[in-house]
Every structure is written in C-alpha cells, then in structure tokens.
Amino acid sequence: FEATAVLGFEGDTIEIENGSLKTGGDRLSVGGSETREEKLAGSRLTIGLRSEEIGRWAPLWGEESRLLVSIDVAGQLTIETGGLLYVDARATHGQTELAAKGNAAALAGLPEPDLEFDFHSNELPWLASLAGFQDFPDIPLALGGRLKKSGSSIRITDFDLSFDTATATGDATIVLEAGFDGSEIATQIDIPDLAGLGMLFGVSDLPRERLQTHVSARIEGAGLAFKAGVGSIGENRIDVEGRIADLGKPALVDASFDIRLPGLQFIQGWAPGLDLPDGRFEARGRLRNQGERVDIEQTVLTFNNASATVAGYFTQNKHFDLEITAKDPQAATLKSLAKIDLPEQPFAL
C-alpha cells in the first residue's frame, strides 16, 4: 500500500490536504478538517473511495467476499454538536446509484439514522442475481424516500417506487420486536398496463387494464388489521376492510366488503379456464368472527337483475351452514349462468 497526506495544525484543528491511501485496485482520498472539540464537533471531511473489487474488504467485517464489483463513493461527513454524524454521499456502480443525505449515526450510543435516500438502477437483472434471483426483466428501477430509526422502530416515509411504468407510494414502519408487533404499511399502487407488467415476468392472461389500488396493513399481536381497495381496473371496484385475529387461523376474519364488477370477464382474465356468463355483478356484506366460527351478515349478491341474500356461518375446518334467498323478475336472463333455457317469468328460490 501507499499512504500520503499533508497535515496542518492550527489551534485545536487539524487540516488534512491530499490525504490518500492506495492499495492494489483501491484508492481512498480524504480532505478537510478535524477538531479536538468534544466528540469531534465541527469536524468536516470530504471522502472519496474507488475500488475495483469492493468485496475484497468484506472479510474485515467477518463477511464473505461475494460482491466483487467496482464502486465509486464520494461525499462529505460533518460531525455536529453532540457527536451527530451528518452525511451527504453518493455511491455508483455502472448504471446503479445510491445517494443518501442526513444524520447517519451518533458517535456515542446507539445509531439513530435519519436519512433521505434516492436509489436508481438500469441493471435490475444484475441486482436480482446478487440476491439469488435469475431471469429478472431488464427494466429501470427507482426508489426514494426518508428512513428514520427511533428506538426499536424503523420508519420509511414518502417512499416512491417506480418499476418500469408501475409506481407505488406510501409510508411504512417496521418494529424490530418479537413478531414485528405494531409494524404497518400504507401504499398506493398504479400499474398502467397490468397485462404488460405480467408479461415481463412470464405471467400471461392478466387483464389488459389499468390497476389502481390502495393497501394498508398493521400487525396487531398475533393478528393483522388490513384495508385494501382496487380503486379501479377499468370500471371494476373492490373494497375490503377487516382484521384477522390470529394469522394461524386466517379463515377466522372480521371484514366488510363491497365488490362491483361491470362484467365477469374481469374474473375470467385472472382465471381463463372458467366459463363465466356476461353480466354485471355486485357483492357487499360483512363477515364477523365469533371465535370458533365466522358469521355471514347483511350479504347481498346481484347479477344483472337477479339478487340473492346470504346468511349463515362457516368454520376454520370448512363446516358451513347457509340460508340463501334468490329472486329475478325474469328467469330467462339467467340462461347464460344456468346453461339451460329458462322461461321469461319471475322466479324466487
């Protein structure tokens, strides 16, 4: 290795000029000033790092040398009053870049980072391969937001993810406790072409429609509270809100739902093997968890002009007891559903 630096001393401050450390295909450069104030408050350093194989340094931290790639890092470090470390840095590899700015850690005590970050890459197949995934589509990926750690919680706010033409925005909290109790996420998703996105991953037969949806979920002890809505897939609307008391028994759920589909072709787009009739379909009602069973309440199904009410219950072990009342002012309109000719007369069941 080779190390050089020009040092100047002025009172309690050390000035560093042209500091560098070279070894093999690596170079670290340092400049700026370091104070002798408490916890180095007021120190400011400009740092640059260029490495042809950054993974060679992993064993110093007890890690395997898996990331044998080149990397360029440039940034500024400032130590503020109380030893708080402020960073403004950017790391680059090829067409992949990560920028971060904010409070990175405290020099004494537990780290409590509060950072704005911006990540983008045009090398998604390479990134996926690092995590052991193969055959990822070669499309741009970008992610930005703010990350803050407080105690046992990590808060990610105003995150903005773009994946090809699809986008997702929202906030999330990860509680680093047993079972992640209290962790939550709220996100809005917009996919301009659902079928096109599916084809990128080899999934065919999805509806060629725009998908706009919102999802929120929160872990509550052994259970999960959730709210999801497909704001639109074409003219389709789906809204579901509820809570699963125990994720070990997911069928025992409290939920309300409101589903409105202008045609059953939407369902057929997800399950092309089904032979479904054409007609407007709506379903709304409530499921209420009673401990060992789930009651079906205020549930109404409509198909064109036909309607049915459903009441009863079902259990985790697939036992059920239902009461169904159905009617239609003209039975002939159900021909496509029944697959037989029906008279043009009212019917009730």
Side-chain angles (χ1 to χ4, degrees):
F1 71 92
E2 176 184 338
T4 60
V6 177
L7 303 179
F9 300 87
E10 184 178 345
D12 290 334
T13 302
I14 301 174
E15 299 290 342
I16 305 171
E17 295 183 11
N18 301 322
S20 69
L21 173 64
K22 300 177 183 178
T23 172
D26 306 310
R27 176 173 179 171
L28 173 67
S29 61
V30 181
S33 61
E34 178 183 325
T35 73
R36 298 181 64 184
E37 300 291 332
E38 183 179 2
K39 297 181 180 178
L40 304 178
S43 298
R44 291 177 173 81
L45 297 175
T46 299
I47 295 178
L49 171 65
R50 173 171 292 181
S51 176
E52 294 180 359
E53 291 184 346
I54 190 64
R56 293 190 296 112
W57 298 92
L60 293 178
W61 292 273
E63 301 290 337
E64 297 182 9
S65 302
R66 293 180 295 179
L67 195 62
L68 298 178
V69 298
S70 63
I71 191 170
D72 286 304
V73 180
Q76 294 182 332
L77 301 179
T78 303
I79 302 176
E80 301 178 346
T81 303
L84 197 62
L85 182 64
Y86 184 89
V87 62
D88 186 353
R90 188 177 303 272
T92 305
H93 165 75
Q95 299 182 61
T96 298
E97 184 175 276
L98 171 64
K101 180 168 64 175
N103 298 324
L107 295 185
L110 294 175
E112 299 285 334
D114 185 354
L115 293 166
E116 294 180 357
F117 63 92
D118 182 31
F119 172 82
H120 63 265
S121 177
N122 290 323
E123 301 171 306
L124 187 56
W126 170 73
L127 286 174
S129 68
L130 296 179
F133 298 104
Q134 305 298 324
D135 301 323
F136 256 61
D138 189 7
I139 55 178
L141 170 70
L143 174 63
R146 181 180 178 185
L147 183 149
K148 183 176 182 180
K149 185 176 185 297
S150 178
S152 61
S153 297
I154 296 176
R155 178 77 171 157
I156 304 173
T157 57
D158 300 324
F159 73 77
D160 189 342
L161 170 67
S162 64
F163 185 73
D164 193 33
T165 59
T167 61
T169 59
D171 304 286
T173 299
I174 303 172
V175 180
L176 304 176
E177 301 284 356
F180 300 101
D181 186 19
S183 297
E184 59 184 338
I185 185 172
T187 182
Q188 297 79 42
I189 300 171
D190 184 4
I191 303 175
D193 182 2
L194 186 60
L197 183 64
M199 289 298 293
L200 291 175
F201 293 90
V203 179
S204 59
D205 299 319
L206 293 180
R208 189 162 292 280
E209 299 279 2
R210 186 186 197 102
L211 169 63
Q212 293 177 307
T213 182
H214 59 84
V215 177
S216 62
R218 176 182 172 86
I219 297 177
E220 299 179 347
L224 177 72
F226 60 90
K227 183 176 182 180
V230 177
S232 66
I233 299 185
E235 299 179 27
N236 303 282
R237 297 188 62 86
I238 301 174
D239 291 288
V240 181
E241 181 176 1
R243 183 179 185 275
I244 301 172
D246 184 351
L247 289 172
K249 300 178 179 179
L252 300 179
V253 60
D254 279 290
S256 58
F257 56 91
D258 187 354
I259 302 171
R260 304 177 188 182
L261 309 178
L264 296 180
Q265 298 89 339
F266 167 71
I267 298 176
Q268 199 153 3
W270 295 87
L274 293 178
D275 183 16
L276 297 174
D278 187 22
R280 183 173 183 82
F281 174 79
E282 296 184 6
R284 61 183 183 276
R286 179 171 181 82
L287 305 176
R288 192 180 301 276
N289 183 8
Q290 301 291 7
E292 295 301 320
R293 73 181 195 188
V294 175
D295 286 351
I296 303 172
E297 302 177 351
Q298 303 170 353
T299 297
V300 179
L301 311 177
T302 62
F303 178 71
N304 290 331
N305 293 321
S307 63
T309 60
V310 182
Y313 69 87
F314 61 87
T315 68
Q316 177 75 16
N317 60 10
K318 301 180 182 180
H319 175 77
F320 64 90
D321 188 337
L322 301 178
E323 179 180 321
I324 302 173
T325 302
K327 62 181 180 179
D328 191 303
Q330 193 173 36
T333 60
L334 294 177
K335 175 181 178 181
S336 58
L337 185 64
K339 305 301 182 184
I340 58 174
D341 289 332
L342 295 172
E344 294 185 4
Q345 296 179 5
F347 91 97
L349 172 66

